[in-house]
Amino acid sequence: MSSAYLQLLDATIAHLETLKGLGVGWVPVRRDTLLSIASPSLTPLSSVARRDIAKTVSPAFQNSQSPSIPSENLASASPQSSVVPPAVRSEAAMSRWSKAVAVVPSTSSSFQTSLVAAPLPSPLPPEARAAAMAELRSQIFACSRCSHLAASRQSVVFGVGDIHAKILFVGEAPGVEEDLCGEPFAGPAGELLTKILTAMGLGRESVFITNLLKCRPDTPGDSAGNRKPKPDEVSTCLPWLERQIDLVQPRVVVALGASAVEGLLGKGTAGISQLRGSWQNYRGLPLMPTYHPAYLLRNLALSEKRKVWEDMLQVMERAGYPVSTKQRGFFLTKD
Ligand code: URA
């Protein structure tokens, strides 16, 4: 019980309780950190997770009675020494962990799922789902957690489509066009996504389309630019996406591009070119990673289109849509 790990646990609890006392309702925590701490008996804390926890806890050291933990025990411990000590597997220690995690979302129920990587809740009946989605929409529209993005945005880009869809597509973040019109995938990449859907025999209205971030990543001094979301923006916004997925409960999630894959599955997953085409598990739902349509606009090779198409054939089958012989043959030859 006197290990650095337990000291860290105490410091985390103390810090979170201090924050809670100050009225803080939530703190961003990376999914992989949560997964690491959720099953400490099996999972060594990843270096990212250790760094993340250290970052969360460190302010507490300056202002509270929390025990001070030598930084080498946090960020630079060897992989061997980062394995959670067996003592932590005790019931008492686990309940202290739950307490630490439970403190975080207790004043904001809509953020619970991101903190415990919970399995999906039971699906809501249609009317309740529509009401919950409308409520979620108004919460997201009012969100200003990333104050810099709230200040620069023209629109909050919630998502479009059928809230009862069998397939839910997740992209990276709104770009300039999406920010202007408030719809995801409204620019050139969106046109290509629409064409892919048409080839699948579907329309934008029959699937649900959204992004990891609901606001356009700002590019100060370059109003027409786009940039990748930063990790803290992703962890701040992710709970909104998780809630959308909780409500839609699609049969299949499609993660478009590396950012979406990493946001949903956590860092430490393989790269998109390795992962695409192979089913992943997202909180019990089948998740298909595939290339982002913007990649297909940059790389015009037929072989790349075919790869995405093969992923979509798998998605159609898994979602229960029929696949014709003609569809199976798309993008095999140039004509
Ligand atoms: N790229 C994305 O990932 N999402 C959009 O909405 C548009 C472009």
Side-chain angles (χ1 to χ4, degrees):
M1 291 289 173
S2 62
S3 68
Y5 184 86
L6 289 182
Q7 282 187 308
L8 178 57
L9 177 61
D10 282 336
T12 305
I13 293 169
H15 179 55
L16 293 176
E17 281 178 334
T18 304
L19 290 178
K20 191 183 177 194
L22 292 170
V24 174
W26 64 280
V27 293
V29 182
R30 307 172 69 93
R31 168 169 292 280
D32 48 342
T33 302
L34 289 165
L35 291 174
S36 294
I37 63 179
S39 51
S41 59
L42 300 174
T43 321
L45 285 179
S46 70
S47 58
V48 172
R50 278 180 279 124
R51 209 178 328 118
D52 212 22
I53 292 170
K55 233 170 48 194
T56 304
V57 172
S58 55
F61 299 155
Q62 291 135 33
N63 308 324
S64 78
Q65 307 295 332
S66 311
S68 124
I69 301 170
S71 59
E72 65 271 19
N73 286 337
L74 296 169
S76 57
S78 70
Q80 201 61 5
S81 66
S82 73
V83 174
V84 174
V88 163
R89 294 171 208 161
S90 74
E91 217 170 285
M94 288 312 292
S95 89
R96 298 168 78 205
W97 257 126
S98 327
K99 190 175 161 207
V101 173
V103 167
V104 184
S106 58
T107 57
S108 175
S109 58
S110 54
F111 282 81
Q112 234 142 9
T113 54
S114 74
L115 291 158
V116 293
L120 294 178
S122 309
L124 290 175
E127 270 177 29
R129 185 180 304 196
M133 196 60 106
E135 164 69 17
L136 180 63
R137 177 186 286 270
S138 53
Q139 288 174 351
I140 297 182
F141 270 61
C143 181
S144 58
R145 290 193 165 115
C146 302
S147 51
H148 59 300
L149 302 189
S152 62
R153 73 187 175 210
Q154 304 296 315
S155 317
V156 172
V157 182
F158 177 79
V160 285
D162 181 4
I163 63 169
H164 307 283
K166 294 177 184 158
I167 309 176
L168 183 147
F169 287 83
V170 180
E172 183 180 86
V176 177
E177 290 94 347
E178 292 79 17
D179 185 44
L180 286 176
C181 74
E183 260 212 30
F185 285 95
E191 278 170 34
L192 182 52
L193 178 61
T194 306
K195 283 187 188 160
I196 293 171
L197 290 171
T198 307
M200 294 166 80
L202 302 171
R204 283 170 73 96
E205 68 298 334
S206 47
V207 296
F208 195 84
I209 305 173
T210 188
N211 281 307
L212 212 47
L213 253 59
K214 309 303 182 211
C215 296
R216 173 178 167 249
D218 62 343
T219 52
D222 176 11
S223 59
N226 286 324
R227 69 161 168 85
K228 265 171 85 76
K230 295 179 185 157
D232 61 322
E233 293 164 346
V234 172
S235 54
T236 301
C237 205
L238 189 61
W240 294 131
L241 173 60
E242 289 173 338
R243 183 79 182 126
Q244 287 179 310
I245 297 174
D246 284 349
L247 292 176
V248 175
Q249 301 243 351
R251 291 193 189 170
V252 176
V253 175
V254 179
L256 296 167
S259 297
V261 172
E262 195 176 299
L264 288 166
L265 300 181
K267 262 211 185 296
T269 45
I272 181 69
S273 48
Q274 268 174 281
L275 280 187
R276 67 136 286 278
S278 63
W279 287 108
Q280 306 295 313
N281 182 347
Y282 171 74
R283 295 165 68 212
L285 287 177
L287 180 146
M288 174 57 71
T290 194
Y291 290 138
H292 194 286
Y295 166 77
L296 295 181
L297 293 175
R298 292 192 302 272
N299 186 335
L300 298 176
L302 190 69
S303 57
E304 299 307 283
K305 290 192 180 69
R306 176 67 195 179
K307 284 179 192 162
V308 171
W309 184 243
E310 281 173 7
D311 301 343
M312 292 307 104
L313 291 175
Q314 290 199 65
V315 165
M316 287 166 70
E317 280 169 356
R318 192 78 177 243
Y321 288 111
V323 179
S324 68
T325 312
K326 187 172 170 201
Q327 281 173 318
R328 287 200 189 281
F330 287 169
F331 306 111
L332 279 176
T333 51
K334 258 200 169 113
D335 54 345

